[in-house]
Amino acid sequence: MLRPDVSLDDQQGVYDFYLDHQQNPLLARLAYAALSARYRPRVSFAPGAEESIRALLSDGTSLIIAANHLTDSDQYILAATAWQTPLRSAIGRTRVLAKDELFREPKLRKRIDMMGGIPVFRSKNHGLRAVSDAGRRMMEISAERVRRGDSLAIFPEGTCNTEDPARVQHVNSGIGHIASRAGKLGATPALLHLGISYGPATATVKSASVHVGHPVTEIPAKPMEIARTVQQHLQETVDEARRRY
């Protein structure tokens, strides 16, 4: 299938493409390894989390990974973290929700596609009414990718936190709708929360502190309940990442 321009005017074609798009796993692993060497995050785990993540992935369980959002480099920190943890085994089978403007410049789009990106048309850029259909379609294909066995990484706050990096912003219901839809399709994903801290200077993204929470396997049924669960656990991992910085 031809690679379409990522445009809201062609949202149907865009999401038809990303429903089946698959990056080269070898190139993805090389890129994740390079990002790990460049950014060198210091990763810590909740008690038993490392072993539980490894067991879940070994059993074929998809993970819906939620991380707080502080800078435009956060996706690279997540990739570097994946390389250093049991998440390495999911490289090449992980989708990453990313704002649509990252797909406009060809060279950058190539990198985002290689990392498993799925574009998100945000209301702050296009208006709520304009993106409503695209948002529903994005959640549908994200849930379907989870059903197929992919993991999914999301920054559920929806935008960078420029106010108070110590406090997780409001978690939007999108992550809840995706998890709920995946469940209705027959998937049994687990939620995984990653807290990122850059210490007192968020402009310095190297040597970030990243804390990985224990996977949540008992997921509520309703989207808003899922969003509240994510809010709670994400705040706990952010608190710990800041404490360990």
Side-chain angles (χ1 to χ4, degrees):
M1 183 177 181
L2 292 176
R3 191 182 305 268
D5 291 336
V6 175
S7 165
L8 185 59
D9 292 335
D10 186 28
Q11 57 175 277
Q12 186 65 43
V14 168
Y15 286 124
D16 285 349
F17 175 81
Y18 283 101
L19 175 62
D20 296 310
H21 173 258
Q22 181 62 53
Q23 74 271 46
N24 183 308
L26 177 59
L27 290 179
R29 289 174 67 85
L30 291 173
Y32 277 55
L35 289 168
S36 176
R38 177 179 179 183
Y39 289 100
R40 299 181 183 277
R42 293 172 290 111
V43 182
S44 59
F45 293 88
E50 192 169 9
E51 296 79 7
S52 293
I53 294 167
R54 186 176 289 109
L56 287 169
L57 291 174
S58 178
D59 288 343
T61 300
S62 297
L63 301 177
I64 297 178
I65 303 163
N68 60 313
H69 198 7
L70 299 173
T71 76
D72 288 336
S73 296
D74 294 340
Q75 66 267 29
Y76 305 128
I77 301 301
L78 284 190
T81 299
W83 184 257
Q84 295 184 21
T85 67
L87 295 172
R88 182 186 297 190
S89 66
I91 294 173
R93 297 184 295 107
T94 299
R95 307 301 110 200
V96 182
L97 298 188
K99 55 188 178 182
D100 66 291
E101 51 259 51
L102 295 177
F103 294 79
R104 294 175 187 166
E105 197 277 314
K107 187 175 181 179
L108 180 57
R109 179 179 180 177
K110 185 177 180 180
R111 295 174 185 167
I112 298 297
D113 280 349
M114 179 272 299
M115 294 179 71
I118 293 176
V120 178
F121 297 98
R122 301 185 301 173
S123 59
K124 66 179 290 185
N125 300 121
H126 303 281
L128 184 60
R129 181 174 298 179
V131 304
S132 58
D133 288 342
R136 284 191 291 271
R137 182 62 176 150
M138 177 273 293
M139 290 186 284
E140 288 172 358
I141 70 160
S142 296
E144 172 60 19
R145 295 300 297 245
V146 171
R147 186 197 69 80
R148 294 181 185 182
D150 287 349
S151 290
L152 182 71
I154 305 176
F155 295 104
E157 295 165 286
T159 190
C160 284
N161 184 347
T162 59
E163 297 297 325
D164 182 2
R167 302 304 305 173
V168 174
Q169 301 175 104
H170 174 70
V171 169
N172 296 316
S173 63
I175 189 170
H177 285 288
I178 292 170
S180 177
R181 291 182 188 209
K184 291 176 181 178
L185 291 173
T188 55
L191 294 173
L192 184 65
H193 304 87
L194 276 66
I196 302 172
S197 175
Y198 301 113
T202 55
T204 304
V205 297
K206 290 188 177 180
S207 297
S209 171
V210 180
H211 187 71
V212 183
H214 199 283
V216 177
T217 56
E218 297 295 328
I219 301 178
K222 297 182 179 179
M224 288 306 300
E225 293 175 349
I226 297 171
R228 285 193 290 269
T229 296
V230 171
Q231 180 98 36
Q232 174 189 339
H233 287 275
L234 190 54
Q235 183 64 61
E236 291 171 359
T237 60
V238 168
D239 291 343
E240 191 62 21
R242 289 176 59 82
R243 189 185 72 81
R244 292 171 178 262
Y245 185 82

Short mmCIF file of all heavy atoms in Angstrom, two decimals, residues 90-134:
data_model
loop_
_atom_site.label_atom_id
_atom_site.label_comp_id
_atom_site.label_asym_id
_atom_site.label_seq_id
_atom_site.Cartn_x
_atom_site.Cartn_y
_atom_site.Cartn_z
N ALA A 90 9.75 -6.45 22.78
CA ALA A 90 8.57 -5.96 22.07
C ALA A 90 8.91 -4.94 20.99
O ALA A 90 8.02 -4.46 20.30
CB ALA A 90 7.57 -5.34 23.06
N ILE A 91 10.20 -4.61 20.84
CA ILE A 91 10.61 -3.67 19.79
C ILE A 91 10.29 -4.29 18.43
O ILE A 91 10.60 -5.44 18.16
CB ILE A 91 12.11 -3.34 19.89
CG1 ILE A 91 12.39 -2.58 21.19
CG2 ILE A 91 12.57 -2.53 18.69
CD1 ILE A 91 13.86 -2.36 21.47
N GLY A 92 9.66 -3.50 17.58
CA GLY A 92 9.19 -4.00 16.29
C GLY A 92 7.74 -4.43 16.34
O GLY A 92 7.11 -4.59 15.29
N ARG A 93 7.21 -4.58 17.56
CA ARG A 93 5.80 -4.95 17.74
C ARG A 93 5.12 -3.97 18.69
O ARG A 93 4.16 -4.33 19.37
CB ARG A 93 5.68 -6.37 18.28
CG ARG A 93 6.20 -7.44 17.35
CD ARG A 93 5.96 -8.84 17.89
NE ARG A 93 6.70 -9.07 19.12
CZ ARG A 93 6.16 -9.12 20.32
NH1 ARG A 93 4.85 -8.93 20.48
NH2 ARG A 93 6.90 -9.34 21.39
N THR A 94 5.64 -2.74 18.72
CA THR A 94 5.06 -1.71 19.58
C THR A 94 4.67 -0.50 18.74
O THR A 94 5.48 0.00 17.96
CB THR A 94 6.05 -1.27 20.67
OG1 THR A 94 6.39 -2.39 21.49
CG2 THR A 94 5.45 -0.18 21.55
N ARG A 95 3.43 -0.08 18.89
CA ARG A 95 2.95 1.13 18.21
C ARG A 95 3.12 2.30 19.18
O ARG A 95 2.94 2.16 20.40
CB ARG A 95 1.47 1.04 17.83
CG ARG A 95 1.06 -0.19 17.02
CD ARG A 95 1.82 -0.28 15.72
NE ARG A 95 2.75 -1.40 15.75
CZ ARG A 95 3.80 -1.54 14.96
NH1 ARG A 95 4.10 -0.59 14.10
NH2 ARG A 95 4.57 -2.58 15.07
N VAL A 96 3.40 3.48 18.64
CA VAL A 96 3.58 4.68 19.45
C VAL A 96 2.69 5.78 18.89
O VAL A 96 2.83 6.16 17.72
CB VAL A 96 5.05 5.15 19.43
CG1 VAL A 96 5.23 6.38 20.32
CG2 VAL A 96 5.99 4.03 19.87
N LEU A 97 1.76 6.28 19.69
CA LEU A 97 0.91 7.37 19.24
C LEU A 97 1.72 8.67 19.24
O LEU A 97 2.34 9.02 20.24
CB LEU A 97 -0.32 7.52 20.14
CG LEU A 97 -1.26 6.31 20.18
CD1 LEU A 97 -2.53 6.67 20.95
CD2 LEU A 97 -1.63 5.84 18.79
N ALA A 98 1.71 9.38 18.10
CA ALA A 98 2.52 10.58 17.95
C ALA A 98 1.74 11.65 17.20
O ALA A 98 0.96 11.35 16.29
CB ALA A 98 3.81 10.25 17.19
N LYS A 99 1.94 12.91 17.57
CA LYS A 99 1.21 14.01 16.94
C LYS A 99 1.49 14.07 15.45
O LYS A 99 2.59 13.77 14.98
CB LYS A 99 1.56 15.34 17.61
CG LYS A 99 3.03 15.69 17.64
CD LYS A 99 3.28 16.92 18.49
CE LYS A 99 4.78 17.27 18.56
NZ LYS A 99 5.02 18.45 19.44
N ASP A 100 0.46 14.46 14.69
CA ASP A 100 0.54 14.36 13.23
C ASP A 100 1.63 15.22 12.62
O ASP A 100 2.19 14.87 11.57
CB ASP A 100 -0.82 14.72 12.61
CG ASP A 100 -1.20 16.17 12.83
OD1 ASP A 100 -1.48 16.57 13.98
OD2 ASP A 100 -1.24 16.93 11.85
N GLU A 101 2.00 16.35 13.25
CA GLU A 101 3.02 17.20 12.65
C GLU A 101 4.38 16.53 12.55
O GLU A 101 5.22 16.93 11.73
CB GLU A 101 3.13 18.54 13.38
CG GLU A 101 3.30 18.44 14.88
CD GLU A 101 2.02 18.71 15.63
OE1 GLU A 101 1.00 18.07 15.29
OE2 GLU A 101 2.03 19.54 16.55
N LEU A 102 4.61 15.49 13.36
CA LEU A 102 5.88 14.77 13.28
C LEU A 102 6.01 13.96 11.99
O LEU A 102 7.11 13.54 11.63
CB LEU A 102 6.04 13.84 14.47
CG LEU A 102 6.15 14.49 15.85
CD1 LEU A 102 6.22 13.43 16.94
CD2 LEU A 102 7.38 15.39 15.92
N PHE A 103 4.89 13.76 11.29
CA PHE A 103 4.89 12.95 10.08
C PHE A 103 5.01 13.79 8.81
O PHE A 103 4.98 13.24 7.71
CB PHE A 103 3.60 12.12 10.01
CG PHE A 103 3.48 11.07 11.08
CD1 PHE A 103 3.08 11.42 12.37
CD2 PHE A 103 3.75 9.74 10.81
CE1 PHE A 103 2.95 10.46 13.37
CE2 PHE A 103 3.62 8.78 11.80
CZ PHE A 103 3.23 9.14 13.07
N ARG A 104 5.14 15.10 8.93
CA ARG A 104 5.11 15.96 7.75
C ARG A 104 6.45 16.04 7.03
O ARG A 104 6.49 16.04 5.81
CB ARG A 104 4.64 17.36 8.16
CG ARG A 104 3.19 17.39 8.63
CD ARG A 104 2.79 18.76 9.14
NE ARG A 104 1.45 18.72 9.75
CZ ARG A 104 0.96 19.68 10.50
NH1 ARG A 104 1.68 20.78 10.74
NH2 ARG A 104 -0.25 19.57 11.01
N GLU A 105 7.54 16.15 7.77
CA GLU A 105 8.87 16.24 7.16
C GLU A 105 9.33 14.83 6.84
O GLU A 105 9.37 13.97 7.72
CB GLU A 105 9.81 16.94 8.13
CG GLU A 105 11.09 17.46 7.49
CD GLU A 105 12.13 16.37 7.37
OE1 GLU A 105 12.35 15.63 8.34
OE2 GLU A 105 12.71 16.25 6.26
N PRO A 106 9.68 14.55 5.57
CA PRO A 106 9.95 13.17 5.15
C PRO A 106 11.01 12.44 5.98
O PRO A 106 10.83 11.27 6.33
CB PRO A 106 10.40 13.33 3.69
CG PRO A 106 9.72 14.58 3.23
CD PRO A 106 9.71 15.49 4.43
N LYS A 107 12.12 13.11 6.29
CA LYS A 107 13.19 12.44 7.04
C LYS A 107 12.74 12.07 8.44
O LYS A 107 12.99 10.96 8.93
CB LYS A 107 14.42 13.34 7.10
CG LYS A 107 15.63 12.66 7.71
CD LYS A 107 16.86 13.57 7.62
CE LYS A 107 18.08 12.88 8.22
NZ LYS A 107 19.29 13.74 8.12
N LEU A 108 12.01 13.00 9.10
CA LEU A 108 11.52 12.73 10.44
C LEU A 108 10.44 11.66 10.40
O LEU A 108 10.39 10.78 11.27
CB LEU A 108 10.99 14.01 11.08
CG LEU A 108 10.43 13.89 12.50
CD1 LEU A 108 11.47 13.31 13.45
CD2 LEU A 108 9.94 15.25 13.00
N ARG A 109 9.59 11.71 9.39
CA ARG A 109 8.53 10.71 9.29
C ARG A 109 9.13 9.31 9.15
O ARG A 109 8.62 8.34 9.74
CB ARG A 109 7.62 10.99 8.10
CG ARG A 109 6.53 9.92 7.98
CD ARG A 109 5.58 10.15 6.84
NE ARG A 109 4.59 9.09 6.81
CZ ARG A 109 3.58 9.04 5.95
NH1 ARG A 109 3.43 10.01 5.05
NH2 ARG A 109 2.72 8.05 5.99
N LYS A 110 10.21 9.20 8.41
CA LYS A 110 10.85 7.90 8.24
C LYS A 110 11.26 7.33 9.59
O LYS A 110 11.10 6.15 9.86
CB LYS A 110 12.06 8.04 7.32
CG LYS A 110 12.73 6.73 6.97
CD LYS A 110 13.87 6.95 5.99
CE LYS A 110 14.54 5.63 5.63
NZ LYS A 110 15.65 5.83 4.67
N ARG A 111 11.78 8.21 10.46
CA ARG A 111 12.20 7.77 11.80
C ARG A 111 10.99 7.37 12.64
O ARG A 111 11.03 6.36 13.34
CB ARG A 111 12.97 8.89 12.50
CG ARG A 111 14.28 9.27 11.85
CD ARG A 111 14.86 10.48 12.54
NE ARG A 111 16.07 10.97 11.87
CZ ARG A 111 16.62 12.14 12.11
NH1 ARG A 111 16.07 12.95 13.01
NH2 ARG A 111 17.71 12.51 11.47
N ILE A 112 9.94 8.20 12.59
CA ILE A 112 8.75 7.91 13.39
C ILE A 112 8.08 6.62 12.92
O ILE A 112 7.65 5.79 13.74
CB ILE A 112 7.76 9.09 13.33
CG1 ILE A 112 8.39 10.36 13.91
CG2 ILE A 112 6.47 8.75 14.07
CD1 ILE A 112 8.74 10.26 15.37
N ASP A 113 8.01 6.42 11.61
CA ASP A 113 7.44 5.18 11.08
C ASP A 113 8.27 3.98 11.51
O ASP A 113 7.74 2.91 11.85
CB ASP A 113 7.37 5.23 9.56
CG ASP A 113 6.17 6.02 9.05
OD1 ASP A 113 5.28 6.35 9.87
OD2 ASP A 113 6.12 6.30 7.84
N MET A 114 9.60 4.14 11.51
CA MET A 114 10.47 3.04 11.90
C MET A 114 10.27 2.67 13.37
O MET A 114 10.44 1.51 13.76
CB MET A 114 11.93 3.44 11.64
CG MET A 114 12.96 2.41 12.02
SD MET A 114 13.45 2.63 13.73
CE MET A 114 14.12 4.28 13.65
N MET A 115 9.86 3.65 14.20
CA MET A 115 9.62 3.39 15.61
C MET A 115 8.21 2.89 15.87
O MET A 115 7.84 2.63 17.02
CB MET A 115 9.89 4.66 16.43
CG MET A 115 11.35 5.08 16.40
SD MET A 115 11.66 6.60 17.33
CE MET A 115 11.44 6.00 19.01
N GLY A 116 7.40 2.75 14.82
CA GLY A 116 6.05 2.22 14.99
C GLY A 116 4.99 3.27 15.21
O GLY A 116 3.95 2.99 15.81
N GLY A 117 5.25 4.49 14.73
CA GLY A 117 4.32 5.59 15.00
C GLY A 117 2.95 5.43 14.35
O GLY A 117 2.82 4.86 13.27
N ILE A 118 1.94 5.91 15.06
CA ILE A 118 0.58 6.08 14.53
C ILE A 118 0.22 7.54 14.75
O ILE A 118 0.31 8.03 15.88
CB ILE A 118 -0.43 5.17 15.24
CG1 ILE A 118 -0.15 3.69 14.95
CG2 ILE A 118 -1.87 5.51 14.83
CD1 ILE A 118 -1.06 2.73 15.71
N PRO A 119 -0.18 8.27 13.70
CA PRO A 119 -0.46 9.71 13.87
C PRO A 119 -1.74 9.99 14.64
O PRO A 119 -2.72 9.26 14.53
CB PRO A 119 -0.55 10.22 12.43
CG PRO A 119 -0.90 9.03 11.62
CD PRO A 119 -0.29 7.84 12.30
N VAL A 120 -1.68 11.06 15.41
CA VAL A 120 -2.84 11.55 16.17
C VAL A 120 -3.09 12.99 15.75
O VAL A 120 -2.21 13.84 15.86
CB VAL A 120 -2.58 11.49 17.68
CG1 VAL A 120 -3.79 12.04 18.45
CG2 VAL A 120 -2.27 10.07 18.13
N PHE A 121 -4.30 13.26 15.27
CA PHE A 121 -4.70 14.63 14.92
C PHE A 121 -5.30 15.25 16.18
O PHE A 121 -6.35 14.83 16.65
CB PHE A 121 -5.70 14.62 13.77
CG PHE A 121 -5.15 14.06 12.49
CD1 PHE A 121 -5.39 12.74 12.14
CD2 PHE A 121 -4.36 14.84 11.66
CE1 PHE A 121 -4.88 12.21 10.96
CE2 PHE A 121 -3.84 14.32 10.48
CZ PHE A 121 -4.10 13.00 10.13
N ARG A 122 -4.64 16.26 16.71
CA ARG A 122 -5.03 16.82 18.00
C ARG A 122 -5.97 18.01 17.83
O ARG A 122 -5.81 18.83 16.93
CB ARG A 122 -3.80 17.24 18.79
CG ARG A 122 -2.84 16.10 19.07
CD ARG A 122 -1.70 16.52 19.96
NE ARG A 122 -0.91 17.61 19.40
CZ ARG A 122 0.06 18.24 20.06
NH1 ARG A 122 0.35 17.89 21.30
NH2 ARG A 122 0.74 19.21 19.48
N SER A 123 -6.95 18.08 18.72
CA SER A 123 -7.93 19.16 18.66
C SER A 123 -7.28 20.53 18.85
O SER A 123 -7.75 21.52 18.29
CB SER A 123 -9.03 18.95 19.71
OG SER A 123 -8.48 18.90 21.01
N LYS A 124 -6.19 20.62 19.62
CA LYS A 124 -5.51 21.89 19.84
C LYS A 124 -4.93 22.46 18.55
O LYS A 124 -4.69 23.65 18.44
CB LYS A 124 -4.42 21.75 20.89
CG LYS A 124 -3.26 20.87 20.49
CD LYS A 124 -2.19 20.79 21.58
CE LYS A 124 -1.45 22.11 21.73
NZ LYS A 124 -0.34 22.02 22.70
N ASN A 125 -4.70 21.56 17.55
CA ASN A 125 -4.17 22.01 16.27
C ASN A 125 -5.23 22.17 15.19
O ASN A 125 -5.08 23.02 14.31
CB ASN A 125 -3.11 21.01 15.77
CG ASN A 125 -1.94 20.87 16.72
OD1 ASN A 125 -1.67 19.78 17.19
ND2 ASN A 125 -1.24 21.95 17.02
N HIS A 126 -6.27 21.36 15.26
CA HIS A 126 -7.24 21.33 14.17
C HIS A 126 -8.66 21.69 14.58
O HIS A 126 -9.51 21.90 13.72
CB HIS A 126 -7.26 19.93 13.53
CG HIS A 126 -5.95 19.46 13.01
ND1 HIS A 126 -5.42 19.89 11.81
CD2 HIS A 126 -5.03 18.60 13.54
CE1 HIS A 126 -4.24 19.30 11.61
NE2 HIS A 126 -3.99 18.52 12.65
N GLY A 127 -8.92 21.75 15.88
CA GLY A 127 -10.28 22.00 16.35
C GLY A 127 -10.98 20.71 16.71
O GLY A 127 -10.79 19.67 16.04
N LEU A 128 -11.79 20.75 17.77
CA LEU A 128 -12.43 19.54 18.29
C LEU A 128 -13.34 18.89 17.27
O LEU A 128 -13.32 17.67 17.08
CB LEU A 128 -13.20 19.89 19.57
CG LEU A 128 -13.86 18.72 20.29
CD1 LEU A 128 -12.80 17.70 20.72
CD2 LEU A 128 -14.63 19.22 21.51
N ARG A 129 -14.16 19.68 16.61
CA ARG A 129 -15.12 19.10 15.66
C ARG A 129 -14.40 18.46 14.49
O ARG A 129 -14.78 17.38 14.02
CB ARG A 129 -16.07 20.19 15.16
CG ARG A 129 -17.13 19.69 14.18
CD ARG A 129 -18.12 20.76 13.82
NE ARG A 129 -18.86 21.21 15.01
CZ ARG A 129 -19.80 22.17 14.97
NH1 ARG A 129 -20.08 22.78 13.83
NH2 ARG A 129 -20.42 22.51 16.06
N ALA A 130 -13.32 19.09 14.02
CA ALA A 130 -12.61 18.59 12.85
C ALA A 130 -11.94 17.25 13.10
O ALA A 130 -11.81 16.43 12.19
CB ALA A 130 -11.57 19.62 12.39
N VAL A 131 -11.52 17.01 14.34
CA VAL A 131 -10.75 15.78 14.61
C VAL A 131 -11.59 14.66 15.21
O VAL A 131 -11.05 13.58 15.49
CB VAL A 131 -9.55 16.08 15.54
CG1 VAL A 131 -8.66 17.15 14.95
CG2 VAL A 131 -10.01 16.45 16.94
N SER A 132 -12.87 14.88 15.41
CA SER A 132 -13.68 13.88 16.12
C SER A 132 -13.71 12.54 15.40
O SER A 132 -13.51 11.48 16.01
CB SER A 132 -15.10 14.40 16.35
OG SER A 132 -15.72 14.72 15.11
N ASP A 133 -13.95 12.55 14.09
CA ASP A 133 -13.98 11.29 13.34
C ASP A 133 -12.60 10.64 13.29
O ASP A 133 -12.47 9.42 13.42
CB ASP A 133 -14.49 11.54 11.92
CG ASP A 133 -15.98 11.85 11.88
OD1 ASP A 133 -16.68 11.54 12.86
OD2 ASP A 133 -16.43 12.40 10.86
N ALA A 134 -11.56 11.47 13.11
CA ALA A 134 -10.20 10.94 13.07
C ALA A 134 -9.83 10.32 14.41
O ALA A 134 -9.16 9.28 14.46
CB ALA A 134 -9.22 12.05 12.70
#
